[in-house]
Amino acid sequence: MAMRVSIMESHGGSKRPSPSRVRVSVRLRPYMEKDEDKTCVRGLDSQSLEIVNWRNQLETMQYQFDAFYGDKATQREIYTGSVYAILPHLLVGQNASVFAYGPTGAGKTHTMLGNPNQPGIIPRAVRDLLQMTRGTNGQPEEENWSYAITMSYVEIYQEKVMDLLEPKNKDLPIREDKDHNILIPGVTQKTINTFSDFDEHFIPASQNRTVACTKLNDRSSRSHAVLLIKVQKNQQVSPFRQLTGKLYLIDLAGSEDNRRTGNQGIRLKESGAINSSLFTLSKVVDALNQGLPRIPYRDSKLTRLLQDSLGGSAHSVMIANIAPEQKYYFDTLTALNFAAKSKQIINKPFSQETTQAPVLPTLKRHRDDVESSAPSRHLKKNRKDSTEESPNTSKDCTDSKNLQLASLDPAVVERLLKLDKILTEKAKMENPLLNTPKRERMALMKKWEESQMEIERLKEKQKELEEKALAAESRVEKSGGSPFELSDSSVNESAFRAPLRNRTTSTAKAKKVLRVLPLQGENLGDFTAEGERTGLGLNQNAKEEGIPVVEKKTRKAHAGRENEPSWEINVRGDLLQKGREKILNLLNNGSVKELKSLQKIGDKKAKLIVGWREVNGPYTSVEDLAAMEGMTAKQVASFIKANILSIAAS
């Protein structure tokens, strides 16, 4: 069992979180114009510079940063002076980031990538990181620790995250996990063991980045590029700690003045997306410096990805690239002002590690999980018996909970962990419910108990109906005559299922005594041209004697018929059996459309019948409909009567 903990510590080992300010360095690009007299930036020392007012050459504005590198500075000086110091933080599970900022054409990509003769920050950082994890002889310098390094490379192009290692992965999402770490689900990760492995993946991926020619730059970056190096440090002995550090190396696209770059069409759209994301970046910096309650990280994919670097949990280094030419005056002034605001941001780096849990309560957990999967009545009984048989069980389990892995021999700990895994898997195989969360298990058990109670209730109701049917049949046998010598207040119209649209009954004769005779032979009535039934089951003598024929009934009259003898005795036995067989055949083999042809069956009930049949198998009798949800025993009886009479009449 693993437990995730957050350990806040500085690189020096302090247990309290140590705030870390964003370190800002400024690099001045060499002068590239023929007329070298018109410069707007001058370096004062290794940390300060001044910019000359373009309107008044005698007026200057001074800035001071963590480091200033003039136009003669080399790639090595910039790397060793500003970047190398943050790499050891990765080995203790902390994050770090380096990003280049500045206007287009100021040398950001050259600072990050460099060339074969003067490698930039990215290749130098990866090479040194591999050496730190492998040691001088190719093995980790720390005993009982192993390292794994992976890389991911993406670009943010027009507010879409593109995977440069796998160009098919486009518009990837940016997420935040429960520990507030920023991640990109679905991004390609490549394992690198040597610098050759890194070159093999990085060089082709760099060619996938979007670049274009503008009036200010022959190879202008049209996207923000982010290289993620993930260092995972694993302890090989107890307590098996795992430390994970991430290094973000970011080459930002430069802000552009479209009047000078000459952008049109797609280039103009790209420039708008770049400037918009950089403007959001400046809003984030302003919000952090002002201490606002809401930081607009989510307003842009770029700021969302830089959330750890600005006000987050990373050791951050910003390298502001500026140009010395007079025509870059406003771009340079904007970059210096942004850099000055960025150095006020405070981050709070901390280490996150995953380690083994210090306790091993396997046996108790196995027993409790097995018991909790049974119904509650058996659970209470088992717990009671367990308490009577072994009163000291609870005390023993409490003692085993306090067992510390650190106090045991590493070989013993490893064997206990394997045993723990075997017992857990065995418990899940014996009881599949253990694979579900506890709340879901309790809900399933409650539903199972309710279904058992419903089944018992339906069985009792069925038994009552059978007793009523037997009592009615016995009363008919004792009377020896027709059971339908009724008054008008108790007439049951269910025997006459066919609709009576055009037929009317005189209300003046409502109080006369009615006599309904049972069905005799094949005399099941005639049908009119409209399909209405006339004289169904009535003796012609009753008509001749002036006794009114029952045409229709009210709900009140139907309610009075509940305790009357069963209607089935009035239908011939062969017709009754034939009707039941036909209905049962339709229930087991009929489609939804065929089931809707039955009386009292609509679209909803037809679908319920088919669904019940697929789950529980074929119906053994028509009365099985009462077990289906949405059909009561009373409704089933009415359904059987209506359909058998309808089948007999056809």
Side-chain angles (χ1 to χ4, degrees):
M1 182 178 178
M3 179 177 63
R4 189 167 185 83
V5 296
S6 295
I7 301 178
M8 295 189 177
E9 58 184 3
S10 67
H11 180 58
S14 174
K15 295 184 178 180
R16 297 177 60 83
S18 178
S20 174
R21 180 176 58 81
V22 175
R23 296 181 58 83
V24 178
S25 302
V26 177
R27 181 181 191 182
L28 179 63
R29 174 176 60 77
Y31 199 89
M32 300 178 66
E33 298 291 338
K34 295 180 180 180
D35 187 4
E36 298 184 2
D37 294 332
K38 296 182 179 180
T39 59
C40 63
V41 179
R42 292 192 295 263
L44 300 179
D45 54 37
S46 61
Q47 291 184 330
S48 58
L49 71 156
E50 64 179 7
I51 181 171
V52 181
N53 190 335
W54 68 285
R55 290 183 176 180
N56 185 359
Q57 297 293 326
L58 300 177
E59 183 179 339
T60 61
M61 184 180 300
Q62 295 185 0
Y63 293 88
Q64 187 169 4
F65 300 98
D66 295 291
F68 170 72
Y69 302 99
D71 54 356
K72 303 297 183 181
T74 63
Q75 298 277 60
R76 176 181 292 276
E77 291 175 358
I78 297 170
Y79 171 73
T80 56
S82 298
V83 179
Y84 181 79
I86 68 172
L87 297 184
H89 295 289
L90 300 173
L91 306 185
V92 294
Q94 298 182 2
N95 298 336
S97 66
V98 181
F99 58 98
Y101 177 87
T104 182
K108 299 180 298 299
T109 302
H110 177 73
T111 300
M112 298 302 293
L113 296 180
N115 54 49
N117 296 327
Q118 290 192 7
I121 291 174
I122 289 178
R124 292 177 185 273
V126 173
R127 187 184 299 274
D128 286 345
L129 204 54
L130 288 169
Q131 291 179 356
M132 290 178 184
T133 56
R134 298 295 179 262
T136 55
N137 57 353
Q139 298 295 329
E141 294 182 353
E142 297 183 65
E143 189 177 356
N144 298 326
W145 287 88
S146 64
Y147 292 89
I149 300 179
T150 59
M151 63 171 288
S152 301
Y153 197 20
V154 300
E155 70 171 352
I156 302 176
Y157 177 71
Q158 295 190 27
E159 286 301 301
K160 293 182 179 179
V161 180
M162 310 293 190
D163 193 341
L164 295 177
L165 291 173
E166 187 60 53
K168 295 180 181 179
N169 297 338
K170 298 182 179 180
D171 199 8
L172 298 173
I174 300 177
R175 297 286 184 262
E176 184 176 359
D177 63 12
K178 60 183 180 64
D179 297 316
H180 306 292
N181 293 316
I182 302 300
L183 48 89
I184 305 175
V187 70
T188 304
Q189 295 187 13
K190 298 291 186 180
T191 302
I192 53 176
N193 296 316
T194 63
F195 191 77
S196 299
D197 295 339
F198 171 75
D199 268 350
E200 180 183 351
H201 301 305
F202 183 76
I203 293 177
S206 298
Q207 297 174 355
N208 295 329
R209 187 181 178 187
T210 307
V211 296
C213 177
T214 66
K215 290 183 179 180
L216 297 180
N217 193 349
D218 293 337
R219 286 183 56 83
S220 175
S221 301
R222 315 310 297 165
S223 64
H224 309 294
V226 181
L227 175 66
L228 171 60
I229 305 296
K230 185 177 179 180
V231 181
Q232 196 172 76
K233 183 178 178 182
N234 301 301
Q235 190 177 19
Q236 303 301 311
V237 297
S238 178
F240 305 102
R241 298 165 59 199
Q242 184 183 84
L243 302 172
T244 303
K246 297 178 182 179
L247 174 63
Y248 294 90
L249 299 169
I250 306 165
D251 179 16
L252 299 177
S255 58
E256 296 182 344
D257 185 350
N258 293 314
R259 294 171 297 183
R260 294 192 294 117
T261 57
N263 291 330
Q264 293 180 355
I266 186 63
R267 300 291 167 257
L268 188 63
K269 187 176 180 181
E270 293 169 350
S271 176
I274 292 170
N275 291 339
S276 176
S277 60
L278 293 176
F279 176 69
T280 305
L281 179 61
S282 66
K283 290 198 302 182
V284 168
V285 173
D286 289 337
L288 289 170
N289 290 334
Q290 296 173 20
L292 298 181
R294 179 187 178 273
I295 311 299
Y297 290 118
R298 297 176 182 267
D299 291 0
S300 170
K301 294 290 181 67
L302 173 63
T303 52
R304 183 66 166 150
L305 202 56
L306 288 175
Q307 185 169 341
D308 274 346
S309 306
L310 299 173
S313 60
H315 297 271
S316 299
V317 174
M318 172 183 171
I319 300 177
N321 292 263
I322 59 176
E325 290 85 0
Q326 186 70 35
K327 66 180 181 180
Y328 284 96
Y329 173 80
F330 291 104
D331 293 330
T332 300
L333 182 63
T334 301
L336 291 175
N337 288 335
F338 178 80
K341 292 186 294 184
S342 298
K343 71 176 185 177
Q344 302 174 20
I345 298 175
I346 303 298
N347 293 345
K348 296 181 179 179
F350 63 91
S351 299
Q352 286 191 349
E353 73 173 45
T354 304
T355 183
Q356 295 292 339
V359 295
L360 190 69
T362 305
L363 299 178
K364 183 177 184 296
R365 185 178 68 250
H366 171 64
R367 186 196 66 185
D368 291 343
D369 287 344
V370 171
E371 289 181 356
S372 63
S373 63
S376 58
R377 57 180 179 273
H378 300 296
L379 176 64
K380 293 179 181 178
K381 182 179 178 181
N382 291 341
R383 286 183 176 176
K384 183 177 179 181
D385 296 342
S386 176
T387 304
E388 292 176 355
E389 293 174 3
S390 54
N392 295 327
T393 303
S394 177
K395 182 178 179 181
D396 295 340
C397 291
T398 303
D399 294 339
S400 65
K401 249 186 175 182
N402 297 328
L403 180 62
Q404 300 291 331
L405 292 179
S407 62
L408 300 176
D409 184 79
V412 176
V413 171
E414 186 175 358
R415 295 180 64 182
L416 288 175
L417 291 175
K418 290 181 179 179
L419 178 61
D420 176 53
K421 184 177 180 181
I422 293 172
L423 290 176
T424 303
E425 292 177 355
K426 184 178 179 181
K428 290 182 178 180
M429 292 176 63
E430 292 177 353
N431 196 336
L433 276 178
L434 294 181
N435 291 325
T436 60
K438 184 177 180 181
R439 184 178 299 178
E440 188 175 348
R441 286 205 304 270
M442 298 303 293
L444 289 173
M445 288 192 294
K446 184 178 180 181
K447 189 174 182 180
W448 179 81
E449 291 179 354
E450 291 176 353
S451 63
Q452 293 297 319
M453 294 174 62
E454 181 68 17
I455 292 173
E456 295 293 334
R457 186 182 66 81
L458 291 175
K459 286 182 179 179
E460 293 176 0
K461 192 171 183 179
Q462 183 179 2
K463 188 176 180 180
E464 292 177 1
L465 293 174
E466 290 176 353
E467 291 176 355
K468 287 182 180 180
L470 291 174
E473 188 175 349
S474 63
R475 285 198 299 269
V476 172
E477 292 176 354
K478 290 180 181 179
S479 63
S482 173
F484 294 99
E485 297 290 341
L486 309 174
S487 64
D488 182 58
S489 61
S490 60
V491 173
N492 189 343
E493 191 205 11
S494 300
F496 310 98
R497 179 65 182 87
L500 305 175
R501 297 172 186 166
N502 301 323
R503 189 177 299 275
T504 59
T505 304
S506 174
T507 56
K509 300 179 182 180
K511 295 185 178 180
K512 290 187 177 181
V513 176
L514 305 180
R515 184 174 62 192
V516 182
L517 301 179
L519 297 174
Q520 302 290 338
E522 298 295 333
N523 186 19
L524 299 174
D526 301 322
F527 289 86
T528 64
E530 293 80 7
E532 297 178 349
R533 191 178 300 162
T534 61
L536 177 61
L538 296 180
N539 194 303
Q540 296 296 329
N541 295 331
K543 293 183 179 180
E544 296 173 0
E545 294 174 3
I547 300 175
V549 178
V550 177
E551 301 285 353
K552 203 169 187 179
K553 70 175 182 66
T554 62
R555 294 180 181 273
K556 184 176 180 181
H558 176 67
R561 293 278 296 148
E562 293 180 354
N563 296 326
E564 291 297 326
S566 174
W567 58 273
E568 297 180 358
I569 62 176
N570 302 302
V571 182
R572 285 186 347 187
D574 59 338
L575 292 177
L576 183 62
Q577 183 65 22
K578 177 184 175 182
R580 281 182 169 272
E581 291 177 356
K582 186 173 182 180
I583 295 172
L584 186 61
N585 182 50
L586 272 175
L587 292 177
N588 286 327
N589 303 311
S591 62
V592 173
K593 185 176 180 181
E594 292 171 340
L595 289 171
K596 288 168 65 176
S597 65
L598 294 172
Q599 302 290 341
K600 296 184 178 295
I601 298 296
D603 183 70
K604 183 177 180 181
K605 288 186 178 179
K607 292 179 180 179
L608 287 174
I609 291 172
V610 173
W612 193 94
R613 183 176 68 200
E614 292 177 354
V615 174
N616 301 284
Y619 295 87
T620 57
S621 65
V622 183
E623 282 76 8
D624 287 348
L625 289 173
M628 185 179 67
E629 183 179 356
M631 290 282 285
T632 63
K634 186 176 180 180
Q635 290 175 332
V636 172
S638 177
F639 162 78
I640 296 173
K641 176 192 282 188
N643 283 281
I644 288 181
L645 291 176
S646 178
I647 293 171
S650 60

